[in-house]
Amino acid sequence: MFKIENKGKSQIKSRNRIKIYSYILKNGPVSRTDLEKKLGISAPSVSRIVENLKKEKLIREIGKEETSVGRKPIKLVINKNARYIVGISITKTKIYICITNLGADIIYRNINRLDEIESEKDLLNAIDRLITSSLNITKIQKELILGIGIASRGIVDYNTGTILRCYFNYYKEPIRNIKVKDFLQSRYNCEVIIDNNINVELFGNFFLSNNIKDNKKNNILYIYMGEGVGGSIICNNELVRGKNNIAGRISHMIVDPNGVLCNCGGKGHLEAYVSKSAIEKQYLEIKKIKDSEINIFEICKMGNNGDKVCTDIIDDVLEKLAFAIANLQIIISPNTIILAGEIFDYYDCALEKLNEKLQSIIFDKRLYGVELIIRPKKDIMFDHSATALIMNKIFTVE
Ligand SMILES: [Zn+2]
């Protein structure tokens, strides 16, 4: 439907069709004259493509009615519900699904637990079952799905659409080579894109919303602190993947060579200090509490009330984070650093303290014109961000 043909005249036609549709999508309502002028496409071509898009019910006309001052010009808008996009997020224990329309409105959302994932087949079937049941509930036909975008934990090969290695539940062995793209393309016959979840989050929410229209060269570092720690980098508006798509996986950056043991077996890695479970574990160890639970929200709350143990723990977390950022600053030189983590949601002066620490260790203060932005946990929806992968792939024409 929005495929670019790869030969001669049909290539130009198919590109113009996407350009026109995308322009209406982003700027609608627009007139036919707007399309001719802004896109530099001839009037007969615009007219032919618009007629076709109308016939397929992808767009419609508005403003036909007579008014007291005469006829309003006819404008074009998209039919938001003509097609749909599926977004999926794969975590250690759950799969999230979200279906959006072409206006990026969420039509449906659901979560399934991932129990008993022991093989590639188990995971693929679990994804398939969730998509099928969601389409049944929403009564959306398979044929109306433009694409499926997936955000996954683990190591993802973006080009082949394969999860190379991922741990699920509490099984010791990771599952390898899960061919998600091949499987879903054969089942749903649509565009399928899978990427690392932190890349998807950064791409979906900042890259697209920032919009490259203004030609601003964005250099963004995204640091995500949750159960694990993740990172993603945009340099000159491009996601940095590196070999094996693992650029930006900052969780195992060394922030203290003689430090505590990380889950991976290494010493003094960032994740061993700033992940949610690391912070909670530290509290229980210092307090010598066994067989009990504490959560990061409570630690932050006690910290806000001046509890010394909690403020010390948080200070240490922010210090380790500052080391990591200072090192990354030299390599990437970002103009924006986005921070997601409950410490920033719940601890009152987290950002202020982090900034203070950064100022004291940064290489050259004159170079440090970085904007630090907090991304609240409540805004993070990996499944929704994953739909942006599809929108971008289908509606971006150079
Ligand atoms: Zn590690």
Side-chain angles (χ1 to χ4, degrees):
M1 186 193 64
F2 286 111
K3 207 167 160 265
I4 297 178
E5 306 290 339
N6 46 18
K7 270 188 282 175
K9 270 193 176 166
S10 55
Q11 185 184 15
I12 299 168
K13 279 185 192 168
S14 57
R15 290 175 85 92
N16 281 345
R17 179 179 148 92
I18 298 173
K19 276 187 193 168
I20 287 177
Y21 183 85
S22 304
Y23 192 83
I24 305 171
L25 175 75
K26 284 179 194 150
N27 304 287
V30 297
S31 69
R32 285 169 170 80
T33 323
D34 293 336
L35 293 169
E36 293 162 29
K37 281 188 191 156
K38 300 279 185 202
L39 300 173
I41 300 173
S42 71
S45 294
V46 165
S47 167
R48 184 179 42 80
I49 292 169
V50 163
E51 283 319 303
N52 281 334
L53 289 171
K54 267 171 60 190
K55 233 185 257 168
E56 292 168 62
K57 296 196 165 48
L58 289 166
I59 60 170
R60 64 193 159 86
E61 290 178 336
I62 55 163
K64 267 193 217 164
E65 71 275 20
E66 302 277 332
T67 64
S68 55
V69 287
R71 274 185 71 165
K72 269 198 199 167
I74 294 168
K75 297 231 170 176
L76 303 162
V77 291
I78 61 152
N79 272 330
K80 285 203 289 190
N81 293 316
R83 294 292 184 280
Y84 299 92
I85 292 162
V86 174
I88 303 267
S89 163
I90 302 169
T91 73
K92 199 171 189 174
T93 53
K94 293 184 188 99
I95 326 181
Y96 295 74
I97 190 168
C98 137
I99 300 178
T100 58
N101 64 14
L102 292 168
D105 306 324
I106 297 174
I107 305 293
Y108 176 79
R109 252 195 123 196
N110 202 1
I111 311 169
N112 263 8
R113 283 198 59 81
L114 274 180
D115 296 317
E116 311 284 323
I117 299 294
E118 288 179 84
S119 68
E120 175 189 11
K121 222 174 136 198
D122 287 345
L123 181 73
L124 295 177
N125 287 337
I127 298 172
D128 192 22
R129 273 200 306 275
L130 184 58
I131 297 177
T132 305
S133 72
S134 304
L135 294 184
N136 285 340
I137 292 166
T138 52
K139 297 194 169 62
I140 293 172
Q141 291 165 311
K142 229 178 180 178
E143 294 69 34
L144 296 182
I145 299 298
L146 267 189
I148 304 169
I150 302 150
S152 177
R153 63 192 305 277
I155 297 174
V156 177
D157 183 331
Y158 174 78
N159 294 316
T160 62
T162 309
I163 301 175
L164 296 178
R165 195 187 73 196
C166 192
Y167 288 87
F168 289 100
N169 285 317
Y170 301 100
Y171 291 100
K172 280 181 187 162
E173 281 301 305
I175 299 172
R176 294 174 195 273
N177 293 319
I178 312 173
K179 295 187 182 63
V180 182
K181 183 173 173 170
D182 285 353
F183 173 78
L184 290 178
Q185 263 177 348
S186 71
R187 288 280 294 123
Y188 296 91
N189 189 29
C190 63
E191 189 73 59
V192 176
I193 304 176
I194 176 164
D195 202 348
N196 166 271
N197 52 5
I198 309 299
N199 279 356
V200 172
E201 235 284 293
L202 177 57
F203 186 77
N205 280 291
F206 291 92
F207 196 48
L208 293 182
S209 62
N210 255 348
N211 231 324
I212 27 179
K213 260 189 275 175
D214 55 3
N215 282 330
K216 195 176 147 206
K217 291 282 183 206
N218 290 293
N219 293 290
I220 307 174
L221 167 66
Y222 184 28
I223 298 180
Y224 176 88
M225 301 184 289
E227 284 304 341
V229 175
S232 182
I233 300 161
I234 281 174
C235 271
N236 291 338
N237 294 336
E238 297 247 354
L239 256 173
V240 179
R241 300 185 179 283
K243 195 185 166 209
N244 298 334
N245 202 22
I246 60 165
R249 298 301 96 78
I250 56 167
S251 38
H252 305 287
M253 243 179 104
I254 299 169
V255 288
D256 183 357
N258 299 313
V260 297
L261 213 57
C262 177
N263 283 329
C264 72
K267 252 188 187 177
H269 294 182
L270 183 64
E271 186 168 284
Y273 295 92
V274 309
S275 78
K276 232 169 97 168
S277 51
I279 297 169
E280 291 161 1
K281 192 175 141 203
Q282 226 199 330
Y283 178 86
L284 296 176
E285 272 175 19
I286 294 172
K287 287 277 192 182
K288 296 192 171 62
I289 301 172
K290 277 183 189 163
D291 304 322
S292 177
E293 279 186 18
I294 179 88
N295 65 48
I296 194 159
F297 171 70
E298 288 161 28
I299 295 174
C300 290
K301 211 168 75 180
M302 288 187 279
N304 289 337
N305 291 329
D307 181 287
K308 179 85 168 55
V309 170
C310 294
T311 52
D312 283 353
I313 291 173
I314 295 168
D315 270 356
D316 190 47
V317 169
L318 295 171
E319 183 164 71
K320 297 296 190 292
L321 190 60
F323 287 152
I325 293 174
N327 287 330
L328 291 162
Q329 155 79 9
I330 292 172
I331 300 163
I332 305 163
S333 186
N335 44 281
T336 307
I337 297 174
I338 298 155
L339 300 156
E342 276 140 320
I343 276 205
F344 295 103
D345 289 334
Y346 305 133
Y347 186 60
D348 290 344
C349 38
L351 191 59
E352 215 180 305
K353 280 195 173 173
L354 177 68
N355 249 323
E356 231 170 71
K357 289 180 194 293
L358 274 171
Q359 291 296 332
S360 67
I361 57 169
I362 209 81
F363 162 62
D364 184 340
K365 286 190 184 65
R366 283 168 303 174
L367 297 179
Y368 185 74
V370 188
E371 189 187 7
L372 293 174
I373 298 176
I374 304 295
R375 177 133 176 88
K377 193 185 171 192
K378 64 173 175 46
D379 292 351
I380 300 176
M381 284 164 63
F382 291 113
D383 48 333
H384 189 227
S385 299
T387 61
L389 296 175
I390 301 295
M391 289 296 276
N392 179 62
K393 176 76 196 283
I394 292 181
F395 297 118
T396 306
V397 196
E398 294 300 317

mmCIF file of all heavy atoms in Angstrom, residues 270-287:
data_model
loop_
_atom_site.group_PDB
_atom_site.id
_atom_site.type_symbol
_atom_site.label_atom_id
_atom_site.label_comp_id
_atom_site.label_asym_id
_atom_site.label_seq_id
_atom_site.Cartn_x
_atom_site.Cartn_y
_atom_site.Cartn_z
ATOM 1 N N LEU A 270 28.546 -0.067 36.357
ATOM 2 C CA LEU A 270 27.494 0.920 36.665
ATOM 3 C C LEU A 270 26.213 0.260 37.199
ATOM 4 O O LEU A 270 25.637 0.706 38.182
ATOM 5 C CB LEU A 270 27.193 1.743 35.395
ATOM 6 C CG LEU A 270 26.175 2.872 35.544
ATOM 7 C CD1 LEU A 270 26.686 3.950 36.503
ATOM 8 C CD2 LEU A 270 25.849 3.499 34.187
ATOM 9 N N GLU A 271 25.795 -0.809 36.528
ATOM 10 C CA GLU A 271 24.542 -1.477 36.913
ATOM 11 C C GLU A 271 24.559 -1.987 38.356
ATOM 12 O O GLU A 271 23.531 -2.023 39.029
ATOM 13 C CB GLU A 271 24.264 -2.634 35.941
ATOM 14 C CG GLU A 271 22.920 -3.299 36.168
ATOM 15 C CD GLU A 271 22.544 -4.243 35.034
ATOM 16 O OE1 GLU A 271 22.136 -3.738 33.971
ATOM 17 O OE2 GLU A 271 22.676 -5.466 35.205
ATOM 18 N N ALA A 272 25.747 -2.361 38.819
ATOM 19 C CA ALA A 272 25.863 -2.901 40.175
ATOM 20 C C ALA A 272 25.620 -1.827 41.243
ATOM 21 O O ALA A 272 25.500 -2.129 42.431
ATOM 22 C CB ALA A 272 27.236 -3.534 40.366
ATOM 23 N N TYR A 273 25.541 -0.568 40.821
ATOM 24 C CA TYR A 273 25.276 0.524 41.760
ATOM 25 C C TYR A 273 23.928 1.201 41.533
ATOM 26 O O TYR A 273 23.267 1.590 42.475
ATOM 27 C CB TYR A 273 26.367 1.602 41.658
ATOM 28 C CG TYR A 273 27.716 1.114 42.069
ATOM 29 C CD1 TYR A 273 28.590 0.593 41.133
ATOM 30 C CD2 TYR A 273 28.090 1.142 43.410
ATOM 31 C CE1 TYR A 273 29.835 0.121 41.519
ATOM 32 C CE2 TYR A 273 29.334 0.670 43.809
ATOM 33 C CZ TYR A 273 30.198 0.157 42.852
ATOM 34 O OH TYR A 273 31.415 -0.319 43.245
ATOM 35 N N VAL A 274 23.560 1.365 40.269
ATOM 36 C CA VAL A 274 22.420 2.267 40.026
ATOM 37 C C VAL A 274 21.135 1.565 39.589
ATOM 38 O O VAL A 274 20.118 2.225 39.424
ATOM 39 C CB VAL A 274 22.791 3.389 39.011
ATOM 40 C CG1 VAL A 274 24.070 4.094 39.417
ATOM 41 C CG2 VAL A 274 22.901 2.868 37.588
ATOM 42 N N SER A 275 21.155 0.250 39.404
ATOM 43 C CA SER A 275 19.895 -0.419 39.048
ATOM 44 C C SER A 275 19.002 -0.430 40.289
ATOM 45 O O SER A 275 19.477 -0.305 41.420
ATOM 46 C CB SER A 275 20.151 -1.838 38.552
ATOM 47 O OG SER A 275 20.407 -2.703 39.641
ATOM 48 N N LYS A 276 17.720 -0.587 40.031
ATOM 49 C CA LYS A 276 16.739 -0.586 41.108
ATOM 50 C C LYS A 276 17.078 -1.617 42.181
ATOM 51 O O LYS A 276 17.118 -1.317 43.371
ATOM 52 C CB LYS A 276 15.379 -0.942 40.492
ATOM 53 C CG LYS A 276 14.294 0.015 40.813
ATOM 54 C CD LYS A 276 13.100 -0.268 39.950
ATOM 55 C CE LYS A 276 12.100 -1.125 40.687
ATOM 56 N NZ LYS A 276 10.812 -1.183 39.974
ATOM 57 N N SER A 277 17.362 -2.833 41.708
ATOM 58 C CA SER A 277 17.624 -3.899 42.682
ATOM 59 C C SER A 277 18.943 -3.658 43.426
ATOM 60 O O SER A 277 19.059 -4.004 44.605
ATOM 61 C CB SER A 277 17.613 -5.264 42.003
ATOM 62 O OG SER A 277 18.451 -5.244 40.882
ATOM 63 N N ALA A 278 19.924 -3.034 42.761
ATOM 64 C CA ALA A 278 21.198 -2.760 43.432
ATOM 65 C C ALA A 278 20.983 -1.770 44.576
ATOM 66 O O ALA A 278 21.544 -1.921 45.668
ATOM 67 C CB ALA A 278 22.209 -2.206 42.431
ATOM 68 N N ILE A 279 20.158 -0.765 44.327
ATOM 69 C CA ILE A 279 19.897 0.260 45.350
ATOM 70 C C ILE A 279 19.154 -0.368 46.541
ATOM 71 O O ILE A 279 19.507 -0.145 47.702
ATOM 72 C CB ILE A 279 19.080 1.428 44.746
ATOM 73 C CG1 ILE A 279 19.894 2.121 43.640
ATOM 74 C CG2 ILE A 279 18.673 2.424 45.820
ATOM 75 C CD1 ILE A 279 19.108 3.099 42.788
ATOM 76 N N GLU A 280 18.157 -1.182 46.215
ATOM 77 C CA GLU A 280 17.364 -1.816 47.281
ATOM 78 C C GLU A 280 18.219 -2.798 48.099
ATOM 79 O O GLU A 280 18.136 -2.847 49.326
ATOM 80 C CB GLU A 280 16.150 -2.524 46.659
ATOM 81 C CG GLU A 280 15.139 -1.523 46.103
ATOM 82 C CD GLU A 280 14.157 -2.120 45.088
ATOM 83 O OE1 GLU A 280 14.236 -3.333 44.811
ATOM 84 O OE2 GLU A 280 13.328 -1.361 44.573
ATOM 85 N N LYS A 281 19.081 -3.526 47.381
ATOM 86 C CA LYS A 281 19.951 -4.501 48.046
ATOM 87 C C LYS A 281 20.902 -3.795 49.016
ATOM 88 O O LYS A 281 21.135 -4.258 50.130
ATOM 89 C CB LYS A 281 20.746 -5.242 46.963
ATOM 90 C CG LYS A 281 21.492 -6.475 47.453
ATOM 91 C CD LYS A 281 22.152 -7.189 46.271
ATOM 92 C CE LYS A 281 23.532 -7.694 46.693
ATOM 93 N NZ LYS A 281 24.432 -7.885 45.568
ATOM 94 N N GLN A 282 21.407 -2.666 48.557
ATOM 95 C CA GLN A 282 22.349 -1.931 49.401
ATOM 96 C C GLN A 282 21.707 -1.476 50.705
ATOM 97 O O GLN A 282 22.308 -1.569 51.770
ATOM 98 C CB GLN A 282 22.893 -0.727 48.642
ATOM 99 C CG GLN A 282 24.400 -0.617 48.805
ATOM 100 C CD GLN A 282 24.908 0.761 48.479
ATOM 101 O OE1 GLN A 282 24.327 1.450 47.653
ATOM 102 N NE2 GLN A 282 25.972 1.159 49.120
ATOM 103 N N TYR A 283 20.478 -1.014 50.593
ATOM 104 C CA TYR A 283 19.760 -0.567 51.796
ATOM 105 C C TYR A 283 19.629 -1.716 52.790
ATOM 106 O O TYR A 283 19.932 -1.570 53.972
ATOM 107 C CB TYR A 283 18.386 -0.025 51.409
ATOM 108 C CG TYR A 283 17.572 0.414 52.600
ATOM 109 C CD1 TYR A 283 17.710 1.694 53.123
ATOM 110 C CD2 TYR A 283 16.683 -0.459 53.222
ATOM 111 C CE1 TYR A 283 16.984 2.102 54.240
ATOM 112 C CE2 TYR A 283 15.951 -0.078 54.338
ATOM 113 C CZ TYR A 283 16.104 1.212 54.842
ATOM 114 O OH TYR A 283 15.382 1.594 55.946
ATOM 115 N N LEU A 284 19.190 -2.880 52.291
ATOM 116 C CA LEU A 284 18.973 -4.032 53.175
ATOM 117 C C LEU A 284 20.293 -4.488 53.806
ATOM 118 O O LEU A 284 20.329 -4.871 54.975
ATOM 119 C CB LEU A 284 18.311 -5.183 52.403
ATOM 120 C CG LEU A 284 16.898 -4.887 51.866
ATOM 121 C CD1 LEU A 284 16.381 -6.050 51.044
ATOM 122 C CD2 LEU A 284 15.928 -4.583 53.014
ATOM 123 N N GLU A 285 21.375 -4.411 53.031
ATOM 124 C CA GLU A 285 22.680 -4.828 53.557
ATOM 125 C C GLU A 285 23.170 -3.895 54.662
ATOM 126 O O GLU A 285 23.616 -4.343 55.719
ATOM 127 C CB GLU A 285 23.713 -4.887 52.421
ATOM 128 C CG GLU A 285 23.721 -6.250 51.739
ATOM 129 C CD GLU A 285 24.665 -6.272 50.535
ATOM 130 O OE1 GLU A 285 25.552 -5.395 50.440
ATOM 131 O OE2 GLU A 285 24.483 -7.164 49.702
ATOM 132 N N ILE A 286 23.063 -2.592 54.410
ATOM 133 C CA ILE A 286 23.533 -1.624 55.416
ATOM 134 C C ILE A 286 22.703 -1.732 56.693
ATOM 135 O O ILE A 286 23.216 -1.705 57.796
ATOM 136 C CB ILE A 286 23.492 -0.181 54.859
ATOM 137 C CG1 ILE A 286 24.503 -0.039 53.725
ATOM 138 C CG2 ILE A 286 23.794 0.841 55.958
ATOM 139 C CD1 ILE A 286 24.423 1.272 52.975
ATOM 140 N N LYS A 287 21.405 -1.906 56.507
ATOM 141 C CA LYS A 287 20.508 -1.990 57.662
ATOM 142 C C LYS A 287 20.525 -3.384 58.300
ATOM 143 O O LYS A 287 19.843 -3.615 59.289
ATOM 144 C CB LYS A 287 19.070 -1.651 57.221
ATOM 145 C CG LYS A 287 18.850 -0.177 56.936
ATOM 146 C CD LYS A 287 18.581 0.554 58.223
ATOM 147 C CE LYS A 287 18.060 1.953 57.952
ATOM 148 N NZ LYS A 287 17.839 2.689 59.201
#
